Amino acid sequence: MLALAMALNLWRAVRGPALPDRILALDTLYINALALLVLLGIHLGTDVYFEVALVIALLGFIGTVALSRYVLRRDIIE
């Protein structure tokens, strides 16, 4: 189910009608990737996947904020 959700998010990111739709699709795509990594870490019983999930969450948040700021102001750094 997560793979299907990721495929649909990727489709929306590629084909989204507007830029905010694409940003939202990328945001939900990395959240689905986080869920997949956490489930894989639980299944395999290792802590490495949880650390990777934290790094992806941090990078995804920073990326979403940067893209949203670019859409609003057309400039990332003030």
Side-chain angles (χ1 to χ4, degrees):
M1 293 304 273
L2 282 174
L4 177 65
M6 289 176 76
L8 290 173
N9 284 325
L10 187 63
W11 179 73
R12 177 53 64 188
V14 170
R15 187 160 164 131
L19 189 58
D21 292 328
R22 291 181 174 147
I23 293 173
L24 185 63
L26 288 175
D27 191 39
T28 54
L29 185 65
Y30 90 82
I31 289 173
N32 287 333
L34 283 174
L36 190 63
L37 279 173
V38 168
L39 286 175
L40 188 64
I42 290 171
H43 178 70
L44 296 177
T46 61
D47 293 335
V48 175
Y49 293 103
F50 300 116
E51 294 172 4
V52 172
L54 284 173
V55 170
I56 289 176
L58 181 66
L59 291 175
F61 174 74
I62 291 171
T64 301
V65 169
L67 283 173
S68 299
R69 206 165 168 179
Y70 178 74
V71 166
L72 288 176
R73 299 182 186 169
R74 296 290 181 210
D75 188 26
I76 297 173
I77 300 174
E78 294 182 76

